[in-house]
Amino acid sequence: MAHLPTRAAGAATAASVRSWQVRSSAQAGPDGSVVSDPRFRPSGWHDAPPRSTVMAALMHNGLFSAVEWSTRVRDEVDPGLFEVPWWFRTTFTATGRARTLVRSDGIIHAADLYVNGVQVADRTVISGAYTTNTFDITPLVRAGRNAIAYLVHPGTPKTDLSIGWVDWNVWPPDHNMGIWRDVWILRTGAVSLARPRITSEVSEDRRHAQLTISVDVANRSGAAVRAAVRFAISPAGGGPRDHPLEPIVREVELAPGSDTRVTLLPIDEPGLRLADPPLWWPAGLGDQPLFDLEITAAAGGDESDRVATRFGVRSVRSEIAAGGGRRFFVNGRPVQVIGAGWAPDLWLRHDDQRLRDELSYATWLGLNAIRLEGKLENPEIYELADEAGLMMLPGFECCDKWEAHAGSGEAWDEQDFDVAARSMSDEAYRLGNHPSVVGFFIGSDFPPEPRAAQLYLDALADARFDVPVVPSATAEGSEVAGPSGMKMTGPYAWVPPDYWYRTEENLGGAIGFNSETGAGNNLPRLASLRRFMSDADLEALWQEPASKHVHAAPPSEFDNLAIFHRALRARYGEPASLGDFVRKAQLMNYEAVRAQFEAYRARDGAGQPATGMVYWMLNSAWPSLNWQLWDWYLDPSAAYFAARRANSPLHALYAYDEHAVVVLNRTGEPVSVRASAVVRDLEGVARWDRSEVLEVPGDGACVEAYGVMVPGGIGPTYFLELWLELEDEAVAPSHDVYWLSTVGDELALEETSWQHTPVRSSADLRAMQGLRSAVLTASARTEPARAVRLPLWDTCGGWDVSVRIENTGDVPAVDVHASLLDTESGNPVAPLLWDGNDVVLFSGQSAVLTASVPAPARAVVAPMERCAMVVEAFNLDKPLRVAPAVS
């Protein structure tokens, strides 16, 4: 891309920098007066997007290609390149009469700022990943061409209040140094506006709500000013005005160089008192109406400045429930938080479409929340979460300077306390208006030490941050910030399905609120593995359990798959090939992840309830072997479909602890259902069955139907098939299959660590590797897409593609998986939304799997004419490939 100058117009305008020119100070020199001179002509500089780390800029310019391949990032990128400061330079043109401000929303790790040859600020001021830094540069700006330059200094997460990656993945060699959030050129008159804030308070009966609005107003001139500040609220997107609110105007007298905060209270303004308010709800509980607040300031009859924000009407509170878990309430209604941990791009690149796709995946799975630990992202993720109804739980991170008091980074000095306080203040104002933000973790693995905690709480109070503040993501609370209501007991490595039904205090089972927990390694499918791993990497992957992998978070406890291998071999038998290993891995991930979500869902109404769970993790920062529910290429693993099945609003499940069939109803309405169960041997022959009609209340009710009886002589491995049918025949039945063992898992509870609980002896599912090959037939068809089914998923110009798969043989077909293949690249088409996948079909059974495919204008989606449907199964000798018929 060529360098794009920014155009800064007259008063009351804001323009974000359009692009940067980037160069190491080792080549460009350290003289900011030269580099920031508008007459300077860069030679050999790299053009970069408006949000860019140094490493991202170099990759953007082709200096490093495919760094995700094998060990290339470790072998070919010299960390010494990033031990010196780097320049980020741009130009802007100024037109009209106005004052000019420059504002940076996020620079890693610290920077000096120069404008038109003059230094404006140094690294002691512009410091920390999350501080906002605004400077009035009016005396330096001239009509026409101007230049600004940031000299960005190196650092590390251990020495700076920055962004770190702990044990999630390999660390970027530049430690993400750069300008990772927007820089703005702001143009105002004498009066400027900042930090618009709006909060809402909803009555217990949800029939009334009150709004409070504030904004900071500053006089940047040398004379007294009388300003008219106007507040206007309108439905977002120009929708119908169900609750008309007339604009409110306040007159403000400002002395030269002074500032004040203008606050509108509902006691003074009847228009801020709403009857029958349109409330924002989390996904699955209601709609997400949004409103725009625009605030303008006029002085001397001319518009001087303008700010805007979007908000939703909702209230959030929490309390500590029996069993110690924090229970969240939205608009007075108790909500079980079921979410997952977010990973941004490793190089902090912003991709709006990818963001939409990943958040669509999350809501499609039935999740209602996302936790962001120390990677607080750009504004767009919160804006999209507002639309989708995803509750956001951001917070500071562990294991680096943010928790230096726990020994994980360089000790804080006075400047660090200042940076931390400013970071909290700026993030509070940045996040506070988003209805999706329902809490903030001021600590992760440890609560902040008292002084830091008080600084955070003061900053949050100043911002009227009106949602719960959690002192840590562990069970450790704080004298300053109160109890946490969380637990961080793991596990982070594989555990068997029945583990999730345990309620011991030191385990991660379904009781309380587990802030990060999951069954460890979650392997992508073979097609994705081949996109980032060499043949030698793949050989080691399946043949060398203790082998360390660049894509498994080195150096840490998670840089190898030894625990996963040990469980797989004991449970399913020795892998015979790479393909066999990956197929068994999908089975193992499916059963563990399904049980995790089912256990937490089923325990929502227990006497000591499971109030929340954050699956560790949702996605990945780059190609990974750990944790994710879908891989870096947006291809869902079997675990993805396990989570979607477990999160179904109406679901029959097998409770491993009680060996019983349980029906879970989260539809919000009572239902009458028939719950049927069939125990089948390994050949698929029915050996026991039962069926009962149940009346199941709504709102998360969990009703035990009956116990499962396993007949003698069935062998160590068997299937349990569950059907759930409504009396309304138009509703498709729920169908799920469990593969189980008459030999139980025995946990070595006394050996439990923060990482996992070892298995002393394993359930025996090895007989599954002896299943005869299934016989399947398949046909596929495509048709124009139906209406949009998710707020962020655009089907305009796309298709729905379906495949009908029938088991025409006499043995069960296990883990039947359909994928839409781009025949030109050989890779699965992604993203796409499957209604279901990874199913088990017994002899004579069939299933229709349907996917929503976005328009081919999306670069990652192939035209339908070059697509083929591929059907695979755990015990299918050769995949089926069929061309979809067009209807």
Side-chain angles (χ1 to χ4, degrees), residues 497-556:
D498 60 350
Y499 171 96
W500 299 105
Y501 288 85
R502 309 289 299 229
T503 57
E504 288 90 338
E505 188 176 284
N506 65 326
L507 299 186
I511 182 173
F513 195 128
N514 201 335
S515 66
E516 47 186 66
T517 185
N521 303 108
N522 202 329
L523 265 64
R525 300 183 192 272
L526 190 54
S528 290
L529 289 171
R530 294 192 186 280
R531 295 175 77 171
F532 66 90
M533 300 187 79
S534 68
D535 289 344
D537 296 334
L538 292 170
E539 282 294 302
L541 178 67
W542 77 275
Q543 292 191 4
E544 301 173 20
S547 177
K548 298 183 184 300
H549 297 276
V550 168
H551 294 89
S556 74

Side-chain angles (χ1 to χ4, degrees), residues 239-487:
R241 189 186 291 261
D242 296 328
H243 291 76
L245 298 173
E246 294 299 321
I248 300 169
V249 178
R250 284 285 181 86
E251 298 287 336
V252 182
E253 298 279 356
L254 293 166
S258 68
D259 59 79
T260 189
R261 176 168 293 175
V262 177
T263 301
L264 304 182
L265 298 172
I267 194 171
D268 301 321
E269 302 290 345
L272 300 182
R273 302 194 292 270
L274 310 180
D276 298 320
L279 299 179
W280 184 96
W281 289 99
L285 296 182
D287 297 329
Q288 294 80 41
L290 298 171
F291 297 86
D292 290 323
L293 167 65
E294 185 177 69
I295 307 173
T296 57
D302 297 323
E303 188 174 54
S304 184
D305 203 6
R306 173 188 302 263
V307 292
T309 188
R310 184 162 287 183
F311 70 98
V313 180
R314 63 96 179 94
S315 287
V316 182
R317 65 176 180 87
S318 68
E319 62 185 36
I320 307 302
R326 184 178 290 264
R327 170 71 80 183
F328 280 80
F329 296 79
V330 178
N331 301 325
R333 182 173 177 177
V335 178
Q336 186 189 37
V337 175
I338 298 292
W342 177 260
D345 176 71
L346 180 60
W347 319 106
L348 301 185
R349 295 169 297 189
H350 175 73
D351 183 334
D352 191 73
Q353 187 58 61
R354 183 182 179 91
L355 198 57
R356 288 177 174 272
D357 293 336
E358 296 206 82
L359 295 185
S360 293
Y361 272 15
T363 53
W364 192 242
L365 285 178
L367 304 182
N368 62 14
I370 287 175
R371 181 181 168 212
L372 301 94
E373 188 204 351
K375 290 82 175 164
L376 300 182
E377 274 280 15
N378 282 291
E380 288 84 354
I381 193 171
Y382 303 99
E383 294 166 2
L384 295 175
D386 292 343
E387 295 180 38
L390 282 168
M391 294 180 288
M392 304 297 272
L393 289 167
F396 296 133
E397 67 191 22
C398 81
C399 311
D400 56 24
K401 186 160 184 170
W402 287 100
E403 292 186 349
H405 63 288
S408 60
E410 187 177 273
W412 288 18
D413 58 20
E414 287 302 312
Q415 183 187 356
D416 294 318
F417 280 102
D418 175 67
V419 169
R422 289 196 292 130
S423 298
M424 184 73 270
S425 178
D426 292 334
E427 284 302 304
Y429 279 101
R430 190 174 286 119
L431 302 176
N433 295 332
H434 292 285
S436 58
V437 176
V438 298
F440 194 93
F441 289 85
I442 57 174
S444 180
D445 288 19
F446 298 90
E449 55 95 5
R451 180 182 172 189
Q454 192 61 58
L455 289 172
Y456 293 152
L457 294 178
D458 290 345
L460 291 165
D462 176 77
R464 301 199 331 277
F465 204 70
D466 60 342
V467 298
V469 177
V470 186
S472 81
T474 70
E476 188 176 353
S478 162
E479 288 187 12
V480 177
S484 77
M486 297 284 151
K487 66 177 183 180

Side-chain angles (χ1 to χ4, degrees), residues 110 131 166 215 237 248-249 310 500 511 548 557 583 607 610-611 646 651 678 691 724 750 808 815 840 849 869:
T131 60
V166 198
V215 69
I248 300 169
V249 178
R310 184 162 287 183
W500 299 105
I511 182 173
K548 298 183 184 300
E557 291 85 349
R583 285 192 295 272
T611 58
H651 180 50
V678 182
S691 182
L724 194 64
E750 72 282 359
T808 57
D815 193 27
V840 176
L849 308 179
M869 186 67 73

